Amino acid sequence: MGGMTKEQFLTKLFPDLNEADIDYFVYGEYTNLPKHNGNSDIDLLVEESSFSSFIYILKKILIRSEIKLVSFYKNRNISFIRL
């Protein structure tokens, strides 16, 4: 399934998060999601208790779609992931 578009990625991500009952919040511009991200980044706030499940789902989608992790930053208050 390599070469996934933004729309395909987003259309896969949100249903997978919902199906897994991940507690998340889209921060900022979300009107056109999952069809379009408005050429902007997407900020997701994920409940700490859901974070490991979120990472598991995200990694599965990244591997299938050949999307690369650009950076990962974590401190005791926040984790930041850039794709």
Side-chain angles (χ1 to χ4, degrees), residues 3-80:
M4 192 178 275
T5 67
K6 285 182 201 176
E7 180 180 345
Q8 290 169 326
F9 172 77
L10 295 171
T11 302
K12 180 71 179 142
L13 177 64
F14 291 115
D16 284 6
L17 295 178
N18 293 335
E19 184 177 312
D21 202 27
I22 303 294
D23 191 7
Y24 71 93
F25 174 79
V26 178
Y27 191 80
E29 180 57 47
Y30 58 85
T31 306
N32 297 314
L33 293 176
K35 292 283 187 186
H36 193 277
N37 70 337
N39 292 324
S40 182
D41 60 347
I42 298 170
D43 298 312
L44 295 178
L45 202 56
V46 178
E47 172 61 41
E48 187 174 356
S49 63
S50 297
F51 189 71
S52 61
S53 297
F54 170 78
I55 293 296
Y56 175 78
I57 290 168
L58 183 61
K59 282 182 180 179
K60 281 190 346 184
I61 296 171
L62 294 180
I63 290 167
R64 280 196 315 252
S65 64
E66 299 177 7
I67 294 173
K68 304 294 183 213
L69 178 68
V70 175
S71 61
F72 179 79
Y73 169 78
K74 182 178 182 175
N75 66 28
R76 61 184 199 123
N77 295 319
I78 195 167
S79 294
F80 174 82

